[in-house]
Amino acid sequence: LPTPAKTSHEALVGLARRLVDEGGGEALTVSAVAQAAGVKAPSLYKHFADRAALLRAVEISAMHDLEGALRRGTVGSTAQERLTSMAQAYRAFALAQPHRYEMIYSRNAAGDPAIAAASRFAARPLFEELQAAGVAAERILPVARVMTAFLHGFVSMELVGAFRLGGDLEEAFAEGLRVVLRGV
Amino acid sequence: LPTPAKTSHEALVGLARRLVDEGGGEALTVSAVAQAAGVKAPSLYKHFADRAALLRAVEISAMHDLEGALRRGTVGSTAQERLTSMAQAYRAFALAQPHRYEMIYSRNAAGDPAIAAASRFAARPLFEELQAAGVAAERILPVARVMTAFLHGFVSMELVGAFRLGGDLEEAFAEGLRVVLRGV
DNA sequence: ACCTGAACACCGTTCAAGT
DNA sequence: ACCTGAACACCGTTCAAGT
């Protein structure tokens, strides 16, 4: 005689996301998610293999969020305008949801195929814009890597507080973006 | 009647470093360090306020390591050569000691003044080379930020396995470096 | 002055028992 | 089929007691 389910896979991911947004990855404890779902900790193991699986689900949803933010933020008619606005949308996403952003490049994920697929999904907007900009096919991958390396490096250092020497961060970002886009 | 000390601040940091090198930051547990030192866990609190303090000590030593690796790796007579070799040394350090590198940009550190000082120390080689290269004083900070953003972004994505789409990573790094150095 | 055992609140996880 | 209480091994940390 089945007990009616008090929660679900999707509901748990949603609650886990909220915990991450508020307190970072370490706030995503099995007990905290269970409590938020009105259930006891052992019950979670009926929905997820372990904490790592829950973490991966949140990471994947964060990658989808990033993809959406990039698409919404990409505006303008020229390639320069569109790539610049996309880069600004990338940074805005990271600054608005720092903990969620950090999940994306956490290494909980290593070899998981679903993570790899979500990662490719999040990278698609950039690839499409580079293609539309007329970048040669064989240069799209290296150019995309230089751009994402700069973007991820800049915002992750910004989030971690590594830019402690004063100066205008907005201008440093704009300058870096100009330099990188000149290479496109 | 004082008990003879079985360990010391410096010895504990050394043991903690080894644990980090082998298993990453999460391998640095109070019990593991204590066991490696031949002591019980509570004894560590006579040497460090808490686990976070031990973590910070390891981070600081990692920053000093990076500084040394950058200085040793910077060779050549022209500014381009020297900055290129420094960038390659940066990446080589991260790839050779990934866990130690990750400590440097972990956010355990936030507002600690000793961490901030060590961070400035590790950044010095780059600042000095940019100055020697004749970069205008007011451009040194933004240029250094673009370079470190690219370097940290590239190697941290590489370490985390974010570059899954094949292609030549060596060339992507070299290409990115050329683009960034063109901005200097 | 440093080390220790015992204790506490917290983890993630397992499992037999409930419905 | 899902939920639960009890249990286990592990965390970090505190503290009174040892020398």
Side-chain angles (χ1 to χ4, degrees), chain B residues 153-177:
Chain B
F154 193 96
V155 303
S156 71
M157 291 181 71
E158 191 174 4
L159 291 181
V160 110
F163 291 144
R164 299 167 245 252
L165 294 175
D168 190 344
L169 278 194
E170 307 302 323
E171 184 178 319
F173 183 76
E175 153 115 12
L177 200 51

Side-chain angles (χ1 to χ4, degrees), chain B residues 78-158:
Chain B
T78 72
Q80 285 287 322
E81 282 172 358
R82 295 183 64 78
L83 288 169
T84 299
S85 59
M86 179 184 287
Q88 288 163 342
Y90 184 102
R91 178 165 175 246
F93 176 84
L95 296 183
Q97 297 292 349
H99 295 304
R100 206 187 296 178
Y101 177 78
E102 280 159 7
M103 297 292 287
I104 293 178
Y105 289 111
S106 72
R107 70 170 358 172
N108 312 316
D112 187 79
I115 291 277
S119 173
R120 282 193 301 274
F121 180 71
R124 240 180 253 176
L126 176 56
F127 280 78
E128 291 175 10
E129 288 299 331
L130 291 176
Q131 193 169 19
V135 175
E138 76 279 8
R139 290 197 64 239
I140 287 183
L141 185 58
V143 165
R145 280 174 171 159
V146 175
M147 269 199 71
T148 54
F150 166 71
L151 291 174
H152 171 58
F154 193 96
V155 303
S156 71
M157 291 181 71
E158 191 174 4

